[in-house]
């Protein structure tokens, strides 16, 4: 009897499936690359600007609490979400002090941070800085460098959530309008010896690593009792 040789199974179907998967995967990767926003860099030759920061509370409050912060810094996120509401309720809203936030983006370790700082500055144009500030810190794990290569797309949802006019916001982001302001704030921090975030300044004393709300309240109470109650001028407040 003649020996029957089994037919070899064809790999054509399997190879076709692999080819389709590679094409789909390549298309997704290409789409991701195409949608990735162009990098943002702080201008090296930005026009000289006065550092302003962003004020919360009564501008005539007798004491100013200053924070130099990076929106992508985990420690800053913890300070904003854990200590921030207490500071606002017990100190700022009570009129004991105001609070001024300065940009201090650590771009060497946080690749997405400038998108967040720029988004907050653009939101400030529409009177929504603090709302965007809160959204960015509350959702930091979703737009950080470890999470996405397209932070602008993620952050856009927060702009919608806080009620910004999106045409105006997107135009501001496209133009990178407020990079000189961010640079001025960062330069102010460097001139004060800030090297890490968050850094808190109360009464001209610097506290790297931040403070608890209780710690800040004690400092404010101590300064108030010591007669630091004369309302500062605009220039003095910016330097407190």
């Amino acid at each position: 009897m003649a020996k029957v040789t089994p037919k070899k199974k064809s790999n054509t179907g399997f190879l076709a499936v692999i080819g389709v998967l590679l094409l789909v995967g390549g298309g997704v990767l290409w789409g991701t690359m195409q949608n990735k926003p162009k990098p943002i860099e702080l201008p090296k030759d930005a026009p000289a600007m006065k550092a302003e920061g962003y004020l919360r509370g009564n501008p005539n409050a007798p004491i100013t609490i200053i924070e130099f912060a990076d929106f992508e810094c985990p420690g800053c996120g913890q300070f904003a979400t854990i200590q921030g509401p207490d500071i606002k309720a017990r100190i700022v809203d009570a009129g004991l002090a105001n609070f001024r936030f300065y940009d201090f983006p650590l771009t060497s370790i946080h690749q997405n941070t400038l998108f967040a700082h720029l988004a907050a500055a653009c939101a400030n144009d529409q009177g929504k800085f603090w709302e965007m500030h809160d959204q960015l810190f509350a959702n930091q794990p979703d737009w950080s460098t470890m999470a996405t290569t397209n932070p602008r797309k993620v952050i856009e949802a927060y702009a919608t959530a806080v009620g910004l006019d999106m045409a105006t916001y997107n135009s501001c982001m496209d133009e990178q309008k407020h990079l000189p302001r961010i640079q001025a704030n960062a330069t102010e921090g460097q001139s004060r010896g800030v090297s890490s975030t968050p850094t808190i300044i109360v009464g001209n004393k610097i506290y790297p690593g931040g403070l608890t709300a209780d710690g800040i309240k004690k400092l404010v109470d101590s300064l108030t009792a010591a007669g630091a109650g004369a309302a500062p001028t605009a220039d003095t407040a910016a330097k407190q």
Side-chain angles (χ1 to χ4, degrees), residues 49-52 64 66 68 100 102 184 187-189 191-192 201-206 232-240:
M49 289 184 64
K50 180 180 176 181
E52 296 181 58
T64 296
I66 285 175
F68 285 91
R100 194 177 289 272
Y102 284 88
T187 300
E188 175 69 15
S191 73
R192 292 169 178 256
I201 301 176
V202 184
N204 290 321
K205 291 187 178 180
I206 299 178
T233 64
D235 287 342
T236 303
K239 289 293 183 182
Q240 276 189 328

Side-chain angles (χ1 to χ4, degrees), residues 68 104 106 108-109 186 189-199 206 208-209:
F68 285 91
F104 200 79
L106 302 174
S108 62
I109 57 175
Q190 293 167 358
S191 73
R192 292 169 178 256
V194 174
S195 60
S196 62
T197 57
T199 289
I206 299 178

Side-chain angles (χ1 to χ4, degrees), residues 97-118:
N98 57 36
F99 191 99
R100 194 177 289 272
F101 177 102
Y102 284 88
D103 303 283
F104 200 79
L106 302 174
T107 56
S108 62
I109 57 175
H110 295 146
Q111 297 175 20
N112 288 355
T113 190
L114 280 178
F115 287 94
H117 284 272
L118 193 58

Side-chain angles (χ1 to χ4, degrees), residues 5-21:
T5 302
K7 293 183 179 180
K8 292 183 179 180
K9 293 183 178 179
S10 174
N11 292 327
T12 303
F14 174 75
L15 292 174
V17 171
I18 293 297
V20 170
L21 290 175

